[in-house]
Amino acid sequence: MAVVLAGGLAACGGVGSSGGGTGGASSGGEGGALTTMGFGFPDEIATVRVDAFKKAYPDVRLAVNEGQFDEQAFLSAVAAGNPPDVVYLPRDKIGGYAARGAIQPLDECVATERIATGDFYPAAQQQVKYAGKWYAVPEFYNSIILLVNDKAAKDAGVDPKSIDTSDWDGLAKLAEKMTRRDGNRIKRFGFYPKLPEFLPLWAKANGADILSADGRTAHLSDPKVVEALEYATGLVKAQGGWTGLKAFTDTFDYFGAENPFTKDQIGMMPTEQYLVSSMAGTSPDAGITVLPFKGRDGRPVNNVGGNAWVMPKGAKNPQAACRWMKTMTAKDTWIAAARARADKRAKEGKINIGTYTGNAAADEVIFSQIVKPSGKPAYDDAVKVIRSVQQAGFVVPQSAAAAEFVKTWQDASTRVLLGRQDAAGSLDKAQRDAQRALDEAAQ
Amino acid sequence: MTTAAPAGRRVRRLRPETRWAYIFMVPWLVGLLVFQLGPMIASLALSFADYDLISAPRFTGLDNYARMLEDDKVARAVGNTALYTALHVPLAVVLALVLALVLNRITGRAAGAFRTIFYLPSMTPYVAVGVLFLFLLNGQAGMVNDFLALFGISGPQWTTDPDWILPGIVLMSLWNLGSTTIILFAALRNVPRELAEAAMIDGAGPWQRFRSVTLPMISSALFFVVIINTITSLQMFDQVYTMFFGNQIAQQSSGDAALFYVVYLFQQAFQFLHMGYASALAWLLFLVIAVITLIQVKVGNRLVYYEAEEHAG
């Protein structure tokens, strides 16, 4: 059993005790070996940037262990004192690992290699910092927009472009109008609010943050968060309930040609922009409209996310690791990758809606020089909308108990969705559990 | 291997077969010490500590054990696991026995083919079974509800309704009866034919022959599969984790309805890095399994007819 194995590691006395310098300190000389974890070569965006690193540092022996980030493998490697040099992981995990010392601060790396951190979007910068220090370098920048199925809107007698998420009463009525059922079976779910994972978005839309800026105080029982959860879960209940919706969405193939928009299974939903990128490749003629997701004050709200590069404790070649992180996220590398993507899509005759990086300076060039109008208004307008909401990006601050905190508010949302508790009671419990976890982690 | 010969004592040499037996056991013994016993002792020590895998363990006495009493998720996980075990074990044993009886009646060339077919589901990896049943049991588009609809029954949301998730998991668990069936089938083959024939001559019907002859004669095998199925049920992880916890979105959907004990243990260890607490949970499970097995053995000794083996031997 995994715990037993971990125990064995501890018993050997080598738990995370091996060397490895801090970020930027060269222990591997100019070259040496560089091992990555959590990264692969799914497309030209990856290969072009890896090639750029190989070209810049030909004396580094690069070993890319392809595959998704595996928490258990990562922690076991760190505990055994034999971690990879760089790890590619979701940014929302950084706080928990940083607080426990599983990953190294990168301030020295950033200074030594002169990483242009000012190029990164402010929200991406905030998400890779913990306790005022750099702990990661951000990669992509996933924005949330509202994706509308034009047919569903028209069936409901509404011009899709006129849909406004700041009008919560109007939105609820529209959701019900868009819904189609056949007995117990859902044919089309009008408005999928993407709970529980998008609770921070709904709270922000109602003017509340679920965690204090310093990551130490939970705000889950804030009346505005309660109101947001009540409203969003109410949308699901009014359209038939959570159990049916979840079973329905489990059948979706989001990234294929038979996605829920082309199959007319969803009326509208907030979603990350990469779904639109995927649809541009698979469904160029889809009748969709992309709109900003607005808060009740009428301004866009955008809970951004993405992956980042971190350097684990005990990394053997921190200098090469730092150079890797710099190269993979630098403006010029991103531009080269975006150009390769554009060329490939052009050759395939597919629409290219661009590459949305964490590097704002790179995005400026990509969207002014590389991404050209496709002639498909739905996707050309989508690019404008996605670009327009990027600066409105916000993140849930990093905390020492990041994983526990996420679990508490997601569990709270699920309890309400399942009708097991009301929003106030469920978020009160979540507030107590989350605060206890945050306090324990802070100690 | 030979024993040392102290002065004045008779040298006792091991027989070659015994010596070879010990030699062949060495790899297993090394594995036991290095990969099981050592880590078990380490995890026992960690169960009294606060340990996050990165920093050094900090001794906290019985805190982890005390915390279990206050943790409502532990109570939920224990409840789910106990209910699953109570439903799965009798159903699995009875169904496997029925399948074994059917197999026992098939003779001739077809017998081998049927034994293979009955065992085939056991060859499917647990993760594949989990994914397969996630589709089969889907309340909106699954084949199980499509089948029920043929009889005018509106099937439940097996994979999303908390009241139906556990029955759905029990249904899935019955897919994998191959090993239990084969063990019971082997036991049935060892029942002396003359006993059944003598009972028939005495006027016993099929049910009486089964209850008074077959069942006692295979009771030791039944006892064994009950113990094994109980232990594996209490340790249920792979299929459930694949179905309901394999990714972040899946984790959010079911609340705690599919929170089995080992799943919670895994979450505490590798999601929240509470290795000390997870070690305490692991030791509690170990003790529970040991106690249940002990009770089963005590009760079993009264009910099981062991002379069947002597008779067969």
Side-chain angles (χ1 to χ4, degrees):
Chain A
M1 203 178 294
V3 175
V4 171
L5 180 62
L9 296 171
C12 294
V15 182
S17 59
S18 74
T22 55
S26 172
S27 69
E30 285 300 308
L34 179 75
T35 317
T36 76
M37 180 186 269
F39 185 71
F41 299 103
D43 54 24
E44 62 286 352
I45 301 289
T47 51
V48 165
R49 290 181 300 141
V50 172
D51 288 346
F53 176 82
K54 285 179 180 169
K55 194 174 169 188
Y57 304 101
D59 51 344
V60 174
R61 294 189 311 280
L62 178 65
V64 176
N65 295 320
E66 291 196 62
Q68 292 273 316
F69 172 67
D70 181 331
E71 209 156 14
Q72 190 179 347
F74 167 64
L75 292 168
S76 300
V78 173
N82 189 29
D85 297 294
V86 279
V87 179
Y88 189 59
L89 47 68
R91 294 204 279 267
D92 58 7
K93 294 186 182 296
I94 289 168
Y97 291 150
R100 289 172 168 92
I103 56 176
Q104 303 183 34
L106 300 175
D107 290 27
E108 198 182 330
C109 156
V110 166
T112 309
E113 291 295 331
R114 295 194 182 87
I115 294 177
T117 52
D119 284 354
F120 301 133
Y121 287 99
Q125 290 184 38
Q126 187 191 347
Q127 208 174 17
V128 295
K129 279 184 170 177
Y130 175 74
K133 290 181 178 174
W134 295 98
Y135 272 91
V137 184
E139 272 236 343
F140 291 100
Y141 189 75
N142 299 325
S143 292
I144 292 175
I145 43 79
L146 183 75
L147 184 54
V148 180
N149 170 359
D150 290 353
K151 182 178 183 304
K154 283 168 190 163
D155 286 352
V158 172
D159 174 5
K161 285 194 168 64
S162 71
I163 295 170
D164 183 355
T165 54
S166 66
D167 173 12
W168 280 16
D169 290 338
L171 200 60
K173 285 174 190 152
L174 179 58
E176 287 189 54
K177 277 188 192 172
M178 283 181 165
T179 301
R180 294 277 182 275
R181 301 184 67 86
D182 177 12
N184 278 343
R185 298 213 169 183
I186 303 167
K187 290 292 175 189
R188 183 206 292 151
F189 204 84
F191 182 28
Y192 179 20
K194 287 297 282 289
L195 283 178
E197 64 266 42
F198 280 7
L199 178 65
L201 182 82
W202 283 101
K204 192 77 169 180
N206 203 27
D209 290 305
I210 62 171
L211 184 63
S212 64
D214 63 5
R216 288 170 177 268
T217 311
H219 294 161
L220 293 172
S221 55
D222 181 320
K224 288 189 171 181
V225 180
V226 174
E227 186 185 20
L229 182 58
E230 261 169 5
Y231 173 76
T233 51
L235 289 174
V236 174
K237 283 174 194 160
Q239 296 173 83
W242 170 245
T243 58
L245 167 64
K246 183 66 182 60
F248 186 52
T249 59
D250 280 347
T251 65
F252 290 175
D253 173 16
Y254 282 107
F255 300 103
E258 299 277 282
N259 59 69
F261 285 86
T262 56
K263 286 184 79 175
D264 193 24
Q265 292 172 311
I266 286 282
M268 54 185 172
M269 69 176 193
T271 183
E272 291 88 350
Q273 98 282 327
Y274 52 70
L275 179 56
V276 184
S277 295
S278 168
M279 287 184 67
T282 60
S283 319
D285 298 316
I288 55 167
T289 299
V290 173
L291 300 168
F293 189 89
K294 291 180 185 170
R296 296 180 85 177
D297 61 3
R299 288 187 291 191
V301 285
N302 177 13
N303 186 189
V304 294
N307 276 18
W309 291 102
V310 298
M311 195 189 303
K313 176 184 182 179
K316 306 241 174 355
N317 196 349
Q319 186 182 59
C322 188
R323 288 174 172 173
W324 167 272
M325 289 191 267
K326 180 186 178 182
T327 307
M328 294 296 282
T329 58
K331 178 182 168 186
D332 290 346
T333 327
W334 275 125
I335 292 169
R339 192 160 275 132
R341 163 63 57 88
D343 291 347
K344 185 165 182 260
R345 288 269 166 124
K347 272 185 199 160
E348 293 170 345
K350 289 181 175 174
I351 299 167
N352 174 37
I353 72 158
T355 305
Y356 297 86
T357 80
N359 191 315
D363 279 8
E364 279 302 315
V365 177
I366 292 168
F367 289 97
S368 62
Q369 298 177 21
I370 298 172
V371 177
K372 306 289 182 197
S374 65
K376 300 279 184 187
Y379 291 104
D380 294 341
D381 291 347
V383 174
K384 289 178 198 159
V385 169
I386 296 164
R387 288 284 288 155
S388 75
V389 301
Q390 284 181 312
Q391 290 300 338
F394 79 94
V395 293
V396 176
Q398 293 291 353
S399 74
E404 292 97 323
F405 183 67
V406 170
K407 187 86 172 76
T408 52
W409 62 253
Q410 290 191 344
D411 282 353
S413 304
T414 306
R415 287 195 294 272
V416 183
L417 284 166
L418 290 169
R420 299 286 156 120
Q421 225 172 348
D422 63 17
S426 189
L427 285 171
D428 264 347
K429 176 176 164 35
Q431 172 71 25
R432 289 193 302 276
D433 292 346
Q435 196 56 56
R436 186 167 55 237
L438 291 168
D439 292 344
E440 280 177 10
Q443 286 168 12
Chain B
M1 234 182 278
T2 56
T3 52
R9 282 193 192 174
R10 192 164 57 89
V11 175
R12 193 168 69 86
R13 291 179 66 85
L14 290 174
R15 289 195 311 173
E17 292 89 346
T18 312
R19 200 162 55 230
W20 278 109
Y22 281 123
I23 290 170
F24 282 121
M25 279 168 65
V26 165
W28 183 85
L29 285 170
V30 170
L32 175 75
L33 287 172
V34 176
F35 296 114
Q36 290 189 13
L37 209 58
M40 276 179 77
I41 293 165
S43 77
L44 180 62
L46 284 177
S47 74
F48 300 105
D50 180 13
Y51 177 52
D52 65 5
L53 205 61
I54 310 299
S55 319
R58 188 171 57 84
F59 180 71
T60 54
L62 291 170
D63 283 5
N64 287 327
Y65 291 93
R67 186 178 160 187
M68 276 189 234
L69 299 173
E70 298 166 3
D71 189 342
D72 53 0
K73 296 233 174 198
V74 169
R76 186 69 202 264
V78 167
N80 286 343
T81 310
L83 184 57
Y84 168 77
T85 305
L87 291 172
H88 166 79
V89 175
L91 275 173
V93 172
V94 168
L95 267 175
L97 182 57
V98 170
L99 292 176
L101 287 165
V102 172
L103 276 180
N104 199 35
R105 292 188 72 87
I106 300 172
T107 53
R109 286 186 178 178
F114 274 103
R115 282 175 219 162
T116 308
I117 291 166
F118 275 51
Y119 193 75
L120 267 182
S122 299
M123 306 291 284
T124 319
Y126 285 144
V127 172
V129 173
V131 174
L132 174 71
F133 272 84
L134 209 48
F135 287 109
L136 290 177
L137 294 170
N138 185 286
Q140 289 288 316
M143 286 174 70
V144 172
N145 278 4
D146 285 348
F147 177 74
L148 292 175
L150 295 176
F151 304 97
I153 300 168
S154 175
Q157 302 289 350
W158 298 95
T159 57
T160 54
D161 185 340
D163 295 333
W164 283 98
I165 282 177
L166 205 59
I169 294 170
V170 172
L171 201 64
M172 173 186 67
S173 72
L174 301 178
W175 168 266
N176 188 7
L177 295 178
S179 302
T180 308
T181 306
I182 290 297
I183 291 167
L184 294 177
F185 171 69
L188 286 171
R189 301 281 286 184
N190 278 338
V191 175
R193 192 177 291 264
E194 60 267 30
L195 288 180
E197 286 170 355
M200 201 188 307
I201 291 165
D202 288 344
W207 169 246
Q208 272 185 309
R209 288 203 302 277
F210 174 74
R211 194 170 62 86
S212 305
V213 177
T214 309
L215 218 47
M217 296 303 287
I218 64 165
S219 57
S220 59
L222 275 171
F223 177 55
F224 175 74
V225 296
V226 165
I227 287 185
I228 293 298
N229 273 283
T230 304
I231 292 172
T232 52
S233 299
L234 292 171
Q235 294 179 334
M236 176 72 155
F237 178 76
D238 310 58
Q239 294 116 305
V240 172
Y241 193 82
T242 305
M243 285 177 84
F244 298 102
F245 300 91
N247 59 57
Q248 203 174 14
I249 292 169
Q251 290 204 22
Q252 303 150 0
S253 62
S254 58
D256 291 336
L259 188 69
F260 276 56
Y261 192 84
V262 180
V263 171
Y264 186 56
L265 189 160
F266 182 86
Q267 285 181 337
Q268 285 295 331
F270 288 100
Q271 207 171 336
F272 308 139
L273 303 183
H274 299 152
M275 290 288 170
Y277 188 47
S279 298
L281 288 168
W283 272 93
L284 177 67
L285 179 64
F286 176 76
L287 291 175
V288 168
I289 289 175
V291 168
I292 289 175
T293 308
L294 198 67
I295 292 169
Q296 285 177 328
V297 169
K298 291 279 180 199
V299 174
N301 283 341
R302 291 186 194 168
L303 302 175
V304 172
Y305 176 67
Y306 283 110
E307 284 177 43
E309 274 81 22
E310 291 165 23
H311 188 101

